[in-house]
Amino acid sequence: DRWYDVCPTSDTFKVPLQYSEITWHQLNDWVVRPATYDAKCSFVELITKDPTQQQSGWFVSHWWGQPVLDVVRCVEEHSRLRGETQRFAYWICALANRPYEHGGTVGSPVADREPGFVLAMRMSFGMLLVL
């Protein structure tokens, strides 16, 4: 089965998704939320043994309605221009966010954890805003 837009308020509700046009909302619906459901963590926390030890350089803020590939291209170009292809990780907001905290939006502390995106911002020395 193909992925389709599951947001009832979207203009493309129930329309099959095209790889090149998948947005962060749609990636969150189809990948991030299902993958992180059991652990109630961010995607970065899920795929990294210890996210606090990952050398972060840049926190990437983006519009959730933007195609994922557009953001990836911007990050690649930013890295190329700065010559940082291997030195630093880029933490992307949608992947550093914990979708099951605070209604799945910005996040709120759970027990002794701070929101994943706050941890990512704290560990980063710079922010890349993709518009």
Side-chain angles (χ1 to χ4, degrees):
D1 288 322
R2 294 189 59 181
W3 289 359
Y4 56 91
D5 191 345
V6 296
C7 179
T9 60
S10 171
D11 292 341
T12 59
F13 180 54
K14 293 188 178 181
V15 173
L17 300 176
Q18 301 299 314
Y19 172 76
S20 63
E21 298 173 5
I22 291 175
T23 69
W24 291 99
H25 280 297
Q26 294 160 342
L27 186 74
N28 190 55
D29 290 337
W30 285 96
V31 176
V32 176
R33 289 182 69 84
T36 60
Y37 180 78
D38 290 337
K40 302 294 189 271
C41 64
S42 71
F43 196 75
V44 171
E45 291 169 304
L46 183 70
I47 63 171
T48 306
K49 289 182 182 178
D50 185 358
T52 63
Q53 298 302 310
Q54 187 176 17
Q55 184 179 7
S56 178
W58 297 93
F59 179 78
V60 181
S61 181
H62 57 85
W63 174 49
W64 283 65
Q66 191 169 21
V68 171
L69 289 180
D70 287 357
V71 174
V72 169
R73 286 185 197 106
C74 288
V75 168
E76 289 173 338
E77 181 65 6
H78 181 268
S79 177
R80 186 190 70 75
L81 290 171
R82 293 190 172 266
E84 296 181 349
T85 56
Q86 299 296 321
R87 295 187 321 178
F88 299 105
Y90 284 80
W91 283 44
I92 297 174
C93 182
L95 303 177
N97 187 45
R98 293 187 186 119
Y100 292 97
E101 292 180 7
H102 198 273
T105 57
V106 173
S108 64
V110 171
D112 61 347
R113 300 186 318 174
E114 62 186 339
F117 78 97
V118 172
L119 174 64
M121 287 173 50
R122 184 183 313 232
M123 293 174 59
S124 300
F125 62 75
M127 179 178 284
L128 173 59
L129 176 60
V130 180
L131 299 174

